[in-house]
Short mmCIF file of all heavy atoms in Angstrom, two decimals:
data_model
loop_
_atom_site.label_atom_id
_atom_site.label_comp_id
_atom_site.label_asym_id
_atom_site.label_seq_id
_atom_site.Cartn_x
_atom_site.Cartn_y
_atom_site.Cartn_z
N ALA A 1 0.82 -1.21 0.00
CA ALA A 1 0.00 0.00 0.00
C ALA A 1 0.86 1.26 0.00
O ALA A 1 0.50 2.28 -0.60
CB ALA A 1 -0.94 0.00 1.21
N LEU A 2 2.01 1.20 0.66
CA LEU A 2 2.92 2.35 0.69
C LEU A 2 3.46 2.67 -0.70
O LEU A 2 3.57 3.84 -1.09
CB LEU A 2 4.07 2.08 1.66
CG LEU A 2 3.69 1.64 3.08
CD1 LEU A 2 4.94 1.37 3.90
CD2 LEU A 2 2.81 2.68 3.75
N PHE A 3 3.78 1.63 -1.46
CA PHE A 3 4.29 1.85 -2.80
C PHE A 3 3.19 2.33 -3.75
O PHE A 3 3.44 3.11 -4.67
CB PHE A 3 4.93 0.57 -3.34
CG PHE A 3 6.26 0.27 -2.71
CD1 PHE A 3 6.40 -0.75 -1.79
CD2 PHE A 3 7.38 1.03 -3.02
CE1 PHE A 3 7.62 -1.02 -1.20
CE2 PHE A 3 8.61 0.76 -2.44
CZ PHE A 3 8.74 -0.26 -1.53
N TYR A 4 1.95 1.84 -3.54
CA TYR A 4 0.84 2.31 -4.38
C TYR A 4 0.65 3.82 -4.19
O TYR A 4 0.45 4.56 -5.17
CB TYR A 4 -0.45 1.58 -4.02
CG TYR A 4 -0.43 0.09 -4.32
CD1 TYR A 4 -1.12 -0.81 -3.50
CD2 TYR A 4 0.25 -0.41 -5.42
CE1 TYR A 4 -1.10 -2.17 -3.76
CE2 TYR A 4 0.27 -1.76 -5.69
CZ TYR A 4 -0.40 -2.65 -4.86
OH TYR A 4 -0.39 -3.99 -5.12
N LEU A 5 0.69 4.28 -2.92
CA LEU A 5 0.53 5.71 -2.68
C LEU A 5 1.74 6.49 -3.20
O LEU A 5 1.59 7.58 -3.75
CB LEU A 5 0.33 5.97 -1.19
CG LEU A 5 0.11 7.44 -0.80
CD1 LEU A 5 -1.12 8.00 -1.49
CD2 LEU A 5 -0.02 7.59 0.71
N ARG A 6 2.93 5.93 -3.04
CA ARG A 6 4.14 6.59 -3.53
C ARG A 6 4.06 6.82 -5.04
O ARG A 6 4.56 7.83 -5.56
CB ARG A 6 5.36 5.73 -3.18
CG ARG A 6 6.71 6.19 -3.71
CD ARG A 6 7.19 7.47 -3.08
NE ARG A 6 6.60 8.67 -3.70
CZ ARG A 6 6.79 9.90 -3.26
NH1 ARG A 6 7.54 10.12 -2.19
NH2 ARG A 6 6.23 10.93 -3.88
N SER A 7 3.43 5.92 -5.76
CA SER A 7 3.36 6.02 -7.22
C SER A 7 2.48 7.18 -7.68
O SER A 7 2.64 7.66 -8.81
CB SER A 7 2.85 4.71 -7.81
OG SER A 7 1.49 4.49 -7.45
N VAL A 8 1.54 7.64 -6.84
CA VAL A 8 0.63 8.71 -7.26
C VAL A 8 0.83 10.00 -6.46
O VAL A 8 0.28 11.04 -6.84
CB VAL A 8 -0.85 8.26 -7.14
CG1 VAL A 8 -1.13 7.11 -8.09
CG2 VAL A 8 -1.20 7.89 -5.71
N ALA A 9 1.56 9.95 -5.35
CA ALA A 9 1.81 11.17 -4.57
C ALA A 9 2.80 12.07 -5.30
O ALA A 9 3.63 11.61 -6.09
CB ALA A 9 2.35 10.80 -3.18
N ALA A 10 2.71 13.38 -5.01
CA ALA A 10 3.55 14.36 -5.70
C ALA A 10 5.03 14.12 -5.40
O ALA A 10 5.44 14.07 -4.24
CB ALA A 10 3.15 15.77 -5.26
N LYS A 11 5.82 13.97 -6.45
CA LYS A 11 7.26 13.74 -6.29
C LYS A 11 8.05 15.04 -6.30
O LYS A 11 9.22 15.07 -5.92
CB LYS A 11 7.76 12.81 -7.39
CG LYS A 11 7.11 11.44 -7.38
CD LYS A 11 7.61 10.59 -8.52
CE LYS A 11 6.96 9.20 -8.51
NZ LYS A 11 5.49 9.26 -8.68
N PHE A 12 7.40 16.13 -6.77
CA PHE A 12 8.05 17.43 -6.82
C PHE A 12 7.11 18.49 -6.26
O PHE A 12 5.90 18.28 -6.19
CB PHE A 12 8.44 17.79 -8.27
CG PHE A 12 9.28 16.76 -8.97
CD1 PHE A 12 8.71 15.85 -9.83
CD2 PHE A 12 10.65 16.69 -8.73
CE1 PHE A 12 9.47 14.90 -10.47
CE2 PHE A 12 11.43 15.74 -9.36
CZ PHE A 12 10.84 14.83 -10.23
N ASP A 13 7.67 19.60 -5.86
CA ASP A 13 6.84 20.71 -5.39
C ASP A 13 5.92 21.17 -6.52
O ASP A 13 6.32 21.19 -7.71
CB ASP A 13 7.71 21.88 -4.95
CG ASP A 13 8.62 21.50 -3.78
OD1 ASP A 13 8.42 20.41 -3.22
OD2 ASP A 13 9.51 22.29 -3.44
N TYR A 14 4.69 21.55 -6.16
CA TYR A 14 3.75 21.96 -7.20
C TYR A 14 2.88 23.12 -6.67
O TYR A 14 2.75 23.33 -5.47
CB TYR A 14 2.85 20.80 -7.63
CG TYR A 14 1.91 20.29 -6.55
CD1 TYR A 14 0.59 20.73 -6.50
CD2 TYR A 14 2.34 19.37 -5.59
CE1 TYR A 14 -0.27 20.27 -5.50
CE2 TYR A 14 1.49 18.90 -4.61
CZ TYR A 14 0.18 19.35 -4.57
OH TYR A 14 -0.67 18.90 -3.59
N LYS A 15 2.28 23.85 -7.60
CA LYS A 15 1.41 24.98 -7.26
C LYS A 15 -0.03 24.50 -7.25
O LYS A 15 -0.52 23.96 -8.24
CB LYS A 15 1.59 26.11 -8.28
CG LYS A 15 0.85 27.38 -7.91
CD LYS A 15 1.16 28.48 -8.92
CE LYS A 15 0.46 29.79 -8.53
NZ LYS A 15 0.75 30.87 -9.50
N ASP A 16 -0.71 24.69 -6.11
CA ASP A 16 -2.09 24.23 -5.97
C ASP A 16 -3.00 25.04 -6.89
O ASP A 16 -2.91 26.28 -6.94
CB ASP A 16 -2.55 24.36 -4.52
CG ASP A 16 -3.94 23.79 -4.31
OD1 ASP A 16 -4.09 22.57 -4.36
OD2 ASP A 16 -4.88 24.60 -4.11
N ARG A 17 -3.87 24.37 -7.61
CA ARG A 17 -4.72 25.05 -8.60
C ARG A 17 -5.83 25.87 -7.96
O ARG A 17 -6.41 26.75 -8.61
CB ARG A 17 -5.33 24.01 -9.55
CG ARG A 17 -6.20 22.98 -8.87
CD ARG A 17 -6.77 21.98 -9.86
NE ARG A 17 -7.59 20.98 -9.22
CZ ARG A 17 -8.87 21.16 -8.91
NH1 ARG A 17 -9.45 22.31 -9.20
NH2 ARG A 17 -9.56 20.21 -8.32
N VAL A 18 -6.18 25.62 -6.68
CA VAL A 18 -7.26 26.34 -6.02
C VAL A 18 -6.73 27.52 -5.21
O VAL A 18 -7.18 28.66 -5.37
CB VAL A 18 -8.08 25.39 -5.12
CG1 VAL A 18 -9.14 26.17 -4.34
CG2 VAL A 18 -8.73 24.30 -5.96
N THR A 19 -5.79 27.25 -4.34
CA THR A 19 -5.27 28.30 -3.46
C THR A 19 -4.11 29.06 -4.06
O THR A 19 -3.79 30.17 -3.60
CB THR A 19 -4.82 27.67 -2.12
OG1 THR A 19 -3.75 26.74 -2.37
CG2 THR A 19 -5.98 26.95 -1.46
N GLY A 20 -3.45 28.48 -5.05
CA GLY A 20 -2.29 29.13 -5.64
C GLY A 20 -1.03 29.02 -4.82
O GLY A 20 0.01 29.58 -5.19
N LYS A 21 -1.07 28.28 -3.70
CA LYS A 21 0.10 28.13 -2.85
C LYS A 21 1.03 27.05 -3.39
O LYS A 21 0.60 26.14 -4.11
CB LYS A 21 -0.33 27.76 -1.43
CG LYS A 21 -1.16 28.83 -0.72
CD LYS A 21 -1.55 28.36 0.67
CE LYS A 21 -2.38 29.41 1.40
NZ LYS A 21 -2.80 28.93 2.76
N LEU A 22 2.30 27.15 -3.01
CA LEU A 22 3.27 26.13 -3.40
C LEU A 22 3.22 25.01 -2.37
O LEU A 22 3.46 25.22 -1.18
CB LEU A 22 4.67 26.73 -3.46
CG LEU A 22 5.78 25.79 -3.95
CD1 LEU A 22 5.55 25.42 -5.42
CD2 LEU A 22 7.16 26.42 -3.77
N ILE A 23 2.90 23.81 -2.84
CA ILE A 23 2.78 22.64 -1.96
C ILE A 23 4.05 21.80 -2.09
O ILE A 23 4.41 21.37 -3.19
CB ILE A 23 1.56 21.77 -2.32
CG1 ILE A 23 0.28 22.62 -2.32
CG2 ILE A 23 1.43 20.60 -1.36
CD1 ILE A 23 -0.10 23.17 -0.98
N PRO A 24 4.78 21.56 -0.98
CA PRO A 24 5.98 20.73 -1.05
C PRO A 24 5.64 19.29 -1.46
O PRO A 24 4.53 18.81 -1.23
CB PRO A 24 6.55 20.79 0.37
CG PRO A 24 5.92 21.98 1.00
CD PRO A 24 4.58 22.12 0.37
N SER A 25 6.61 18.63 -2.04
CA SER A 25 6.41 17.24 -2.47
C SER A 25 6.23 16.32 -1.25
O SER A 25 6.60 16.66 -0.13
CB SER A 25 7.61 16.77 -3.29
OG SER A 25 8.79 16.82 -2.49
N VAL A 26 5.63 15.15 -1.52
CA VAL A 26 5.42 14.15 -0.47
C VAL A 26 6.63 13.23 -0.45
O VAL A 26 6.93 12.57 -1.46
CB VAL A 26 4.13 13.36 -0.72
CG1 VAL A 26 3.96 12.29 0.36
CG2 VAL A 26 2.94 14.29 -0.75
N LYS A 27 7.32 13.18 0.67
CA LYS A 27 8.51 12.34 0.79
C LYS A 27 8.14 10.92 1.22
O LYS A 27 7.14 10.71 1.91
CB LYS A 27 9.50 12.96 1.79
CG LYS A 27 10.02 14.33 1.38
CD LYS A 27 10.96 14.88 2.42
CE LYS A 27 11.60 16.18 1.95
NZ LYS A 27 10.60 17.23 1.66
N THR A 28 8.96 9.98 0.79
CA THR A 28 8.70 8.58 1.13
C THR A 28 8.72 8.36 2.63
O THR A 28 7.90 7.59 3.17
CB THR A 28 9.75 7.68 0.45
OG1 THR A 28 9.72 7.89 -0.96
CG2 THR A 28 9.47 6.21 0.75
N ILE A 29 9.61 9.04 3.34
CA ILE A 29 9.70 8.86 4.79
C ILE A 29 8.42 9.33 5.47
O ILE A 29 8.01 8.78 6.52
CB ILE A 29 10.93 9.62 5.35
CG1 ILE A 29 11.18 9.24 6.81
CG2 ILE A 29 10.75 11.11 5.19
CD1 ILE A 29 11.53 7.81 7.02
N GLU A 30 7.72 10.31 4.89
CA GLU A 30 6.44 10.77 5.44
C GLU A 30 5.36 9.72 5.27
O GLU A 30 4.51 9.53 6.16
CB GLU A 30 6.02 12.08 4.77
CG GLU A 30 6.94 13.25 5.08
CD GLU A 30 6.63 14.49 4.25
OE1 GLU A 30 6.00 14.34 3.18
OE2 GLU A 30 7.03 15.59 4.67
N ILE A 31 5.40 9.01 4.16
CA ILE A 31 4.45 7.91 3.95
C ILE A 31 4.72 6.79 4.95
O ILE A 31 3.79 6.21 5.53
CB ILE A 31 4.53 7.40 2.50
CG1 ILE A 31 4.17 8.52 1.53
CG2 ILE A 31 3.61 6.20 2.30
CD1 ILE A 31 4.29 8.13 0.06
N TYR A 32 5.99 6.48 5.16
CA TYR A 32 6.35 5.44 6.13
C TYR A 32 5.90 5.81 7.54
O TYR A 32 5.32 5.00 8.26
CB TYR A 32 7.86 5.21 6.11
CG TYR A 32 8.38 4.43 4.92
CD1 TYR A 32 9.74 4.23 4.74
CD2 TYR A 32 7.49 3.91 3.98
CE1 TYR A 32 10.22 3.52 3.65
CE2 TYR A 32 7.98 3.22 2.89
CZ TYR A 32 9.33 3.02 2.72
OH TYR A 32 9.79 2.31 1.65
N LYS A 33 6.19 7.05 7.94
CA LYS A 33 5.80 7.48 9.29
C LYS A 33 4.28 7.46 9.47
O LYS A 33 3.78 7.13 10.54
CB LYS A 33 6.34 8.89 9.56
CG LYS A 33 7.84 8.96 9.77
CD LYS A 33 8.28 10.40 10.04
CE LYS A 33 9.77 10.49 10.30
NZ LYS A 33 10.20 11.90 10.54
N GLY A 34 3.58 7.84 8.43
CA GLY A 34 2.12 7.87 8.53
C GLY A 34 1.49 6.52 8.76
O GLY A 34 0.41 6.41 9.35
N SER A 35 2.17 5.46 8.33
CA SER A 35 1.59 4.12 8.47
C SER A 35 1.75 3.54 9.87
O SER A 35 1.02 2.61 10.24
CB SER A 35 2.25 3.17 7.46
OG SER A 35 3.62 2.96 7.79
N ILE A 36 2.67 4.07 10.66
CA ILE A 36 3.01 3.44 11.94
C ILE A 36 1.81 3.39 12.89
O ILE A 36 1.50 2.35 13.48
CB ILE A 36 4.19 4.18 12.60
CG1 ILE A 36 5.45 4.01 11.75
CG2 ILE A 36 4.43 3.66 14.01
CD1 ILE A 36 6.64 4.81 12.24
#
């Protein structure tokens, strides 16, 4: 499940289309920590 989410989570910083804010990329270690 961690790899499935990693495949679709943002790998680079991106600009949100609604708020216009810069959203940092999702790191693999954050996905790992979230599962604990």
Side-chain angles (χ1 to χ4, degrees):
L2 307 179
F3 286 107
Y4 295 146
L5 182 60
R6 175 68 278 175
S7 67
V8 296
K11 299 178 180 62
F12 305 99
D13 298 350
Y14 66 97
K15 187 176 183 180
D16 184 71
R17 60 181 179 83
V18 175
T19 62
K21 297 179 180 178
L22 184 66
I23 305 295
S25 61
V26 178
K27 298 179 174 59
T28 303
I29 190 64
E30 294 172 339
I31 298 177
Y32 284 176
K33 287 181 178 179
S35 67
I36 294 174

